[in-house]
Amino acid sequence: MSTTAHAHARARRRDRRVYLHSHPLLFGLLAATRGRPVRRLGRTLLVHGPEAYRQALTRLPLDRTAAGTTGAAARTALRDGGIGSGSGSGGVLFDQEGDGHRMDRRGLAGSLGSAVVEDLRSLWQPLLVRRLAPLDRGGEVDLVDLARELSGSVVCALLGSGADPREVAGAAAEAAAAAVRSHLPGPRRPRAEAAAARAADRLRLLLGPGGEALPAMLAVAAVNTTVAALPRAVAWCADAGLWEQAADGALRPVLADELLRVTAASPLLPRVAAADGAVGGCPVRGGDRLVLVARHAAGAHRRNPDALRPAGPAVDRLVFGAGPHACPGARLARAQLADVLGALAPYRPVVTRARVDRGAALPGWRVLTVRAGGRAAGSYGAGAYGAGA
């Protein structure tokens, strides 16, 4: 095995821990069935292939409020919960279709456009310089804690909230984790549902007096995907020795896309068919459950990240979904990771400690600390923002 292959194998072994320590049986089942684009297990279809994955998201009618789906969990926790119920349009994006979805999505896309993202960079770049300063002195930095503050700051800026960003991030993480626990397969869990409603109420109170559901949904999605994605991507970059690509202003955005592809912050998309159809040549009946495996559709299990030989947008964007319901925050996520990589690259960090978060809504680290691994030409300090991200 070459040195590069050995480094990627090391990165893959570490990243695999976030699945094995939190959902070992599910990870094993998905790994065992990924040889075919689609596998049927009773009334459940496991969708692994990229074309089948696209078909399910763009051609098959989906019931976005069915039990066990992302939309149902979001609706129960954020719309049907305590304070503010019935305020605003009432939708939480994941449970919407038609005109309501188009209207809310259009508004959200405007608030996450390129001009807004560029403004947000002026918010998070100084934060990165401040939070990474201990690396200059030989200290360590917990990238999970950094990701919480970064995502909380971005959410507060987007929503015009004066809340403490760390409190918002903590509340959004708890709201998501509680919502997932309340929708685990099996009998109803009244206590878990009540806990999810309380967690959502706390988040909505923090964000402001309006208490509307859609802003809370934005906070939950932005915080949880950022906290899951950034530390995992940096750990893979460090373990695989990709800091030369991260330091290159032209390669860095491509590397960010590649790292988001292989780490797939939302690795599974649970959906339910609303009508009969077909996915990947497999017949689907209305009411069938579909587990859309984003990480397999994007080739995360078989193709290592490499900015010199990227998978390309048609593949790497699959981790953000496809069609009219694709994640509107993709541009923001890519810009954030590119800037984090640019700020870290001069330090060539190495991972010193990693502990899996078993209770999080998405697979990720509870702690992921790094220290400077070696000085690159150009010195430590202000990072590499000027090279373009």
Side-chain angles (χ1 to χ4, degrees), residues 300-324:
H301 59 299
R302 54 181 167 74
R303 182 171 182 154
N304 292 324
D306 188 347
L308 298 173
R309 288 172 289 277
V315 175
D316 63 48
R317 304 285 165 84
L318 291 178
V319 295
F320 295 105

Side-chain angles (χ1 to χ4, degrees), residues 34-282:
R34 69 192 181 198
R36 294 181 183 174
V38 182
R39 292 269 190 168
R40 175 179 281 281
L41 300 175
R43 293 297 303 273
T44 300
L45 281 79
L46 307 179
V47 181
H48 301 283
E51 287 308 312
Y53 177 90
R54 287 192 191 91
Q55 287 174 6
L57 288 172
T58 60
R59 300 182 191 174
L60 186 69
L62 297 174
D63 182 347
R64 296 175 63 78
T65 62
T69 64
T70 307
R75 168 178 285 206
T76 300
L78 295 170
R79 200 189 81 171
D80 296 339
I83 64 167
S85 296
S87 61
S89 64
V92 291
L93 206 62
F94 289 102
D95 65 341
Q96 291 176 301
E97 281 285 8
D99 292 342
H101 176 264
R102 278 191 289 273
M103 183 175 67
D104 282 343
R105 184 182 170 82
R106 194 177 301 122
L108 191 55
S111 66
L112 294 172
S114 56
V116 174
V117 170
E118 196 59 32
D119 285 344
L120 289 172
R121 294 182 71 207
S122 65
L123 168 74
W124 72 57
Q125 288 178 349
L127 185 154
L128 291 176
V129 171
R130 172 172 58 81
R131 291 300 308 270
L132 298 181
L135 299 179
D136 274 327
R137 305 186 292 272
E140 296 184 343
V141 172
D142 180 1
L143 291 173
V144 176
D145 190 55
L146 185 154
R148 290 193 189 106
E149 183 176 355
L150 173 62
S151 58
S153 298
V154 167
V155 165
C156 288
L158 284 171
L159 300 179
S161 171
D164 180 276
R166 287 173 176 275
E167 285 192 47
V168 169
E174 177 53 30
V180 169
R181 287 195 293 270
S182 70
H183 276 72
L184 291 174
R188 283 189 70 241
R189 298 172 172 80
R191 290 185 179 180
E193 292 175 5
R198 287 195 300 273
D201 283 352
R202 177 172 174 253
L203 173 62
R204 294 160 73 160
L205 281 171
L206 274 173
L207 291 175
E212 293 186 3
L214 190 56
M217 187 67 254
L218 171 64
V220 167
V223 166
N224 286 281
T225 53
T226 302
V227 173
L230 288 186
R232 288 178 60 195
V234 171
W236 196 306
C237 186
D239 289 342
L242 296 173
W243 290 119
E244 289 294 335
Q245 294 187 6
D248 186 307
L251 292 178
R252 191 181 314 130
V254 184
L255 178 63
D257 287 347
E258 283 285 280
L259 290 169
L260 290 171
R261 176 180 64 81
V262 295
T263 51
S266 297
L268 302 179
L269 307 181
R271 300 291 187 266
V272 170
D276 294 354
V279 168
C282 181

